[in-house]
Amino acid sequence: MSNSYKYKRVVLKLSGEALAGERGFGIDSGIIAKIAGEVAQVAKGGVQTAVIIGGGNFLRGATTEGVSAIAGDAMGMLATVINSIAFAERVKACGVDARVLTATRIDRVGGEYYTPARAVELMESGAVAVIGGGTGSPFFTTDTAAALRCAELGGEIIMKATKVDGIYDSDPMKNPSAKKFDEITHAEALSRKLKVMDATAFSFCMEWGLPIIVFKLLEDGNLARCLEGQSVGTVVKFGD
């Protein structure tokens, strides 16, 4: 592993909406290529990387009209697999092996069925494990899937990529005077009701001692800078 990287094994959480870019739907080829290129770069540097991608660029299961919540979530989980297949192909185009693992059994088209042992085996071989299908169960978000996978895989940190450059005390898009946190504890973020992750995912991170980095996705080199421990984004960690 590159001596400049602080972390050896990480879970990167991407939103499906991020892949859509300005179009707001589907996959923007330029954006997915850019993100895949940055992931490939750190993988070449020795960082064992698992990637969890949402499906909101196609649909959000819980808000799909005309179907039950369970069926809607199943549709959403399939959307994450579509994104995972596309992302893995882009990573491979950058010269790094990438495999899709799914928590939903669609092996013939979606990739291998997910097990923690298989994901670790792939990461230790230098491949990027792109894990789709959410948790495999309804009622849980891909934020929760990322937290769960990080614990299962022995990840050191969850890297949550967003549209803003960290966590603020209010919405920086609406309040120019919003204060950015360089570091914050899980307890403080929870007490302030800051939207780091959904409540289930965040509670899981607190319980299992998983730190989180929230950083701006589409800024060149940000992923590598986060892994080097530079002051990029906001780190959520336990207090002393």
Side-chain angles (χ1 to χ4, degrees):
M1 185 172 71
S2 169
N3 291 332
S4 64
Y5 292 141
K6 180 179 178 180
Y7 303 101
K8 180 179 180 181
R9 183 177 295 169
V10 302
V11 171
L12 174 64
K13 168 60 172 61
L14 304 174
S15 70
E17 290 93 331
L19 301 186
E22 297 299 323
R23 299 190 311 179
F25 181 84
I27 298 172
D28 183 299
S29 60
I31 287 178
I32 195 172
K34 179 184 184 304
I35 301 169
E38 297 212 6
V39 169
Q41 176 189 346
V42 300
K44 288 176 181 176
V47 179
Q48 297 177 18
T49 308
V51 180
I52 313 292
I53 310 175
N57 52 324
F58 290 109
L59 58 86
R60 287 186 173 276
T63 58
T64 301
E65 295 182 7
V67 299
S68 69
I70 293 175
D73 281 354
M75 294 165 65
M77 287 187 280
L78 292 175
T80 72
V81 177
I82 293 173
N83 286 334
S84 296
I85 293 170
F87 192 80
E89 289 297 302
R90 287 292 189 170
V91 172
K92 287 189 282 189
C94 296
V96 172
D97 191 18
R99 306 291 181 87
V100 176
L101 303 175
T102 77
T104 304
R105 284 195 178 277
I106 47 173
D107 305 40
R108 287 180 60 85
V109 295
E112 302 175 51
Y113 185 64
Y114 166 81
T115 66
R118 179 56 175 153
V120 169
E121 178 184 26
L122 287 170
M123 290 191 293
E124 288 181 341
S125 74
V128 174
V130 187
I131 306 172
T135 65
S137 298
F139 308 121
F140 295 101
T141 67
T142 47
D143 276 351
T144 300
L148 176 62
R149 301 307 175 220
C150 193
E152 289 177 331
L153 303 178
E156 296 170 78
I157 196 161
I158 299 173
M159 309 186 69
K160 181 165 183 180
T162 67
K163 295 180 180 179
V164 295
D165 61 347
I167 300 173
Y168 288 77
D169 61 357
S170 59
D171 188 343
M173 301 294 186
K174 299 177 181 178
N175 177 16
S177 300
K179 175 190 173 184
K180 178 188 170 188
F181 299 99
D182 293 326
E183 292 185 352
I184 191 170
T185 65
H186 291 76
E188 184 178 0
L190 188 61
S191 68
R192 286 175 173 266
K193 299 182 180 180
L194 302 176
K195 295 181 179 179
V196 181
M197 289 181 160
D198 71 79
T200 302
F202 194 68
S203 296
F204 186 94
C205 289
M206 288 187 65
E207 181 178 354
W208 288 92
L210 300 175
I212 308 162
I213 294 179
V214 180
F215 70 104
K216 189 173 184 178
L217 175 64
L218 295 176
E219 188 166 315
D220 290 342
N222 257 5
L223 177 60
R225 284 190 283 271
C226 284
L227 290 169
E228 290 168 354
Q230 295 187 34
S231 182
V232 176
T234 301
V235 179
V236 183
K237 62 180 185 178
F238 281 88
D240 297 329

